[in-house]
Amino acid sequence: MKLTHFNEQGRAKMVDVSDKPTTIRTAISRSSIEVKKEIYDHIMNNKIKKGDVLAVAQIAGIMAAKKTSDIIPMCHPIPLNGIDIQFTWHQISADRYQLEIEVEVKTKGSTGVEMEALTAASVAALTVYDMCKAIDKGMVIGHTYLLEKTGGVSSPDYKRQVTEREN
């Protein structure tokens, strides 16, 4: 398999996508952050002094998706047509909760949006950490992965089989 991000000299390059057809492309990613019950209670009762944690994390994730090409060197700057971030809480023990972060990104373009979705999920989790670290620095950001990708011509659609360990 030939790596596409290297030129004949073995040096990094941005892939030329000018000949690729414009198609509707989507990517869904997932990340999580595990917190103790005290943080969960503070978030749910809007008692974090920095503000509404999930609202800020949602905006941070959206902003991160839009700025992905500014921080990942070989990503193309692409117009995004939609970004949606969903949060789901899971109680994992008597005193531990996991916040699952799922991001869907859409575009109509010549390259995919996997990196934008992954960046958004990562930054949303980091934002939760930042806003709650005064209470507990022991939070754990979990697995971050691509759940699904559609669109494009050169590579098939993708759907990950999520393992129990990743859930």
Side-chain angles (χ1 to χ4, degrees):
M1 176 179 191
K2 182 181 175 193
L3 297 175
T4 59
H5 285 73
F6 294 97
N7 65 18
E8 292 79 29
Q9 295 178 333
R11 299 186 117 1
K13 73 170 187 175
M14 180 183 265
V15 174
D16 181 359
V17 296
S18 57
D19 290 335
K20 291 175 84 176
T22 298
T23 61
I24 295 173
R25 298 161 184 264
T26 64
I28 300 172
S29 67
R30 195 177 278 166
S31 189
S32 64
I33 184 166
E34 185 179 317
V35 303
K36 64 184 188 177
K37 184 177 185 324
E38 180 183 5
I39 290 176
Y40 168 79
D41 289 340
H42 274 69
I43 291 171
M44 296 306 291
N45 295 305
N46 203 20
K47 291 186 176 181
I48 299 292
K49 291 183 181 182
K50 290 185 176 184
D52 183 334
V53 173
L54 299 185
V56 174
Q58 187 153 12
I59 297 301
I62 290 168
M63 290 174 65
K66 292 166 55 174
K67 293 290 191 178
T68 298
S69 67
D70 289 346
I71 59 173
I72 308 288
M74 300 305 159
C75 282
H76 294 83
I78 56 176
L80 301 179
N81 296 99
I83 305 166
D84 187 24
I85 301 176
Q86 302 285 327
F87 299 105
T88 306
W89 284 105
H90 303 281
Q91 186 170 5
I92 54 178
S93 71
D95 63 341
R96 302 294 294 177
Y97 287 79
Q98 180 189 61
L99 178 63
E100 180 183 275
I101 303 160
E102 190 167 293
V103 178
E104 182 175 16
V105 178
K106 294 181 181 181
T107 192
K108 185 174 183 181
S110 55
T111 190
V113 289
E114 298 92 10
M115 293 309 300
E116 287 75 9
L118 289 162
T119 300
S122 299
V123 168
L126 288 166
T127 300
V128 172
Y129 187 98
D130 177 57
M131 293 190 71
C132 300
K133 68 184 182 231
I135 297 171
D136 178 34
K137 291 175 180 43
M139 293 172 280
V140 177
I141 295 175
H143 294 96
T144 300
Y145 54 89
L146 181 67
L147 188 60
E148 189 175 319
K149 160 229 170 314
T150 64
V153 176
S154 61
S155 65
D157 290 352
Y158 171 82
K159 187 160 177 93
R160 181 183 192 90
Q161 299 301 314
V162 179
T163 66
E164 182 65 31
R165 183 173 169 248
E166 294 169 336
N167 244 353

